[in-house]
Amino acid sequence: MQLAERLTRISVPQTIKMARLSRELKAQGIDIVDLSIGEPDFDTPAHIREAAKKAIDEGYTHYTPVAGYADLKAAVAFKLKRDNGLDYSPEQIVVSTGAKQSIANAVMSIVNPGDEVIIPTPYWVTYSELVKLCQGVVKFVPGGIENDYKITPEQLEAAITPRTRLFMFSSPCNPTGSVYSRQELEGLAAVFEKHPDIFIISDEIYEYINYVGPHESIASIGNMKDRTIIINGLSKGFAMTGWRLGYLAASPEVAKACDMVQSQITSATCSITQRCAITALRGELDTAKEMVAAFRERRAYIYKALQDIPGLKVNEPDGAFYMFPNVSAFFGKSYEDSHVANADDLCMYLLHKANVSVVTGAAFQQPECIRISYATGMPRIEEGIKRMKEWLGKLK
């Protein structure tokens, strides 16, 4: 018996692979410093947890509309107006089981077989896999460390062809922490003005984890709003990864299409999560600001610490909670029975020798780099960087 051919087009994300390996080694009693995970190490704020308890007591335990409760969609619209200056009606909002599903809904609603989708690299691993599942054609456009891993309008223009259907990017970015300024977004928008048939997916899930603020959305520039699908959610800014709630804001036509796609896959997301999401979105952002202050302190430490490791090439990210150093200086080096030919080898060397888990940049289409998460407590970050420095120093 054979499985579907489409499975040959996708692979297991390296982020998940490294997290699984880390768990397996920890289960063996090995002290692993896990710097691979893309999840805030903070608990969900108390007032949001209390809202969930209240929702249970009030009986919100039944099916909801596919696109979400009406008052939750109104809360999303409120948030987009308050934080981004963007006007959306509740009918333009679709709530999903995590931002990943929101992206999947949008890609499935837009991309036909053979359509080209431009993705700046480095990029979040799921983007290209969703395009492949829809039989689209991925076109990567590289952003180098010299430009903080961001692409230029000239690069974008050169990548566009008559078959280009969609442009997908994130700001702040996973895996680099790069943030596009308003001026940079205006430069990209000027290119899109000349190509009115291209949709834009703007993944803004790390919006609140921004060290240069305020957050800028390409949807707020010129006439980009009607062709932009904003992706966001609660996982990062509210430390609600396990609650599984994402949402998109788009034109009425795209929102209706995404609602229809979702209706045949999962229907609505968890009713309890939806109720406490209203509290999160309409409430003050004090807890998010406290979390970001901690991330800012960690970023300052880890940026300086990585600069002190010979061979690493590092830039300072403006958002998210990742460092993305270039490690190519270690390629071709060895220690005892370990040889490092590429970033994949280096990650396995660090995992098994230094007992530190990081993610290969090859997963993000940047094979000269590794991703290091600082979404963990400072003592573990300090221990992890100490181990990395020691064991990278052994490579000759």
Side-chain angles (χ1 to χ4, degrees):
M1 296 178 67
Q2 288 187 325
L3 298 176
E5 179 274 335
R6 69 176 60 88
L7 293 175
T8 64
R9 301 186 216 128
I10 61 174
S11 58
V12 176
Q14 286 288 333
T15 50
I16 293 177
K17 176 184 175 182
M18 291 305 293
R20 184 180 67 240
L21 288 173
S22 297
R23 287 193 299 270
E24 290 172 355
L25 291 172
K26 288 178 182 177
Q28 297 172 25
I30 300 173
D31 178 27
I32 300 294
V33 177
D34 192 349
L35 303 180
S36 70
I37 196 71
E39 175 180 34
D41 57 311
F42 299 88
D43 291 331
T44 301
H47 70 288
I48 298 174
R49 301 199 306 268
E50 288 300 320
K53 297 173 188 176
K54 181 181 178 184
I56 294 172
D57 291 339
E58 292 179 348
Y60 284 98
T61 57
H62 301 278
Y63 287 135
T64 82
V66 170
Y69 284 121
D71 51 350
L72 171 54
K73 294 194 293 179
V76 173
F78 166 81
K79 177 262 171 233
L80 290 166
K81 179 65 174 179
R82 178 193 66 191
D83 298 344
N84 311 110
L86 293 167
D87 291 305
Y88 287 93
S89 67
E91 290 71 30
Q92 293 178 265
I93 310 297
V94 179
V95 177
S96 304
T97 307
K100 184 181 286 189
Q101 187 184 17
S102 297
I103 298 170
N105 288 342
V107 173
M108 292 179 70
S109 297
I110 292 170
V111 176
N112 288 310
D115 285 345
E116 292 179 355
V117 178
I118 296 173
I119 302 176
T121 66
Y123 71 110
W124 186 44
V125 294
T126 296
Y127 296 166
S128 61
E129 305 307 289
L130 290 173
V131 173
K132 293 173 188 175
L133 279 173
C134 294
Q135 295 181 274
V137 178
V138 178
K139 292 192 71 174
F140 292 123
V141 179
I145 192 170
E146 66 283 350
N147 195 39
D148 287 330
Y149 299 112
K150 293 178 281 189
I151 68 166
T152 65
E154 292 75 20
Q155 287 178 288
L156 173 61
E157 182 69 73
I160 292 174
T161 76
R163 295 200 64 84
T164 302
R165 179 70 167 165
L166 174 64
F167 175 81
M168 302 175 67
F169 79 122
S170 60
S171 178
C173 176
N174 177 3
T176 65
S178 300
V179 175
Y180 281 84
S181 68
R182 186 165 187 87
Q183 183 178 4
E184 289 166 334
L185 291 174
E186 287 172 346
L188 299 180
V191 176
F192 289 123
E193 289 279 4
K194 297 183 284 184
H195 303 277
D197 295 328
I198 299 174
F199 285 97
I200 303 163
I201 290 180
S202 178
D203 183 352
E204 303 177 18
I205 190 70
Y206 289 91
E207 171 184 2
Y208 294 138
I209 308 174
N210 184 328
Y211 311 114
V212 294
H215 173 74
E216 298 287 355
S217 173
I218 195 169
S220 68
I221 296 173
N223 62 0
M224 293 295 106
K225 180 186 167 192
D226 287 343
R227 59 201 291 192
T228 298
I229 300 97
I230 293 178
I231 305 293
N232 213 321
L234 307 183
S235 293
K236 313 303 182 181
F238 296 98
M240 294 178 67
T241 51
W243 297 78
R244 308 313 304 138
L245 189 140
Y247 58 84
L248 64 79
S251 68
E253 295 78 12
V254 171
K256 183 177 180 181
C258 291
D259 186 338
M260 183 168 61
V261 168
Q262 184 166 298
S263 72
Q264 296 296 347
I265 299 176
T266 60
S267 294
T269 193
C270 171
S271 58
I272 305 304
T273 298
Q274 289 190 55
R275 299 315 301 172
C276 66
I278 297 171
T279 296
L281 292 167
R282 287 193 175 275
E284 298 296 327
L285 300 175
D286 294 345
T287 54
K289 292 173 182 176
E290 291 171 6
M291 184 169 62
V292 172
F295 284 139
R296 185 188 298 274
E297 181 182 352
R298 297 173 190 178
R299 180 189 65 147
Y301 169 79
I302 198 170
Y303 177 55
K304 184 178 185 305
L306 291 177
Q307 286 181 307
D308 290 338
I309 299 178
L312 292 184
K313 186 177 181 181
V314 189
N315 72 316
E316 185 174 28
D318 289 331
F321 37 69
Y322 307 109
M323 301 297 297
F324 203 67
N326 184 301
V327 296
S328 58
F330 297 99
F331 296 172
K333 295 186 177 183
S334 302
Y335 175 71
E336 294 181 344
D337 60 340
S338 299
H339 178 71
V340 175
N342 49 44
D344 294 47
D345 289 345
L346 187 65
C347 288
M348 297 311 293
Y349 171 78
L350 290 173
L351 181 64
H352 293 291
K353 296 294 187 181
N355 293 336
V356 176
S357 177
V358 295
V359 182
T360 173
F364 311 100
Q365 204 68 22
Q366 200 81 17
E368 304 86 12
C369 301
I370 61 174
R371 191 189 77 173
I372 303 170
S373 169
Y374 50 93
T376 191
M378 188 67 82
R380 297 303 282 169
I381 293 173
E382 292 172 346
E383 176 63 21
I385 300 303
K386 176 184 174 182
R387 294 182 190 181
M388 286 180 62
K389 185 174 184 178
E390 176 186 354
W391 286 92
L392 288 175
K394 295 177 185 291
L395 291 169
K396 305 297 179 184

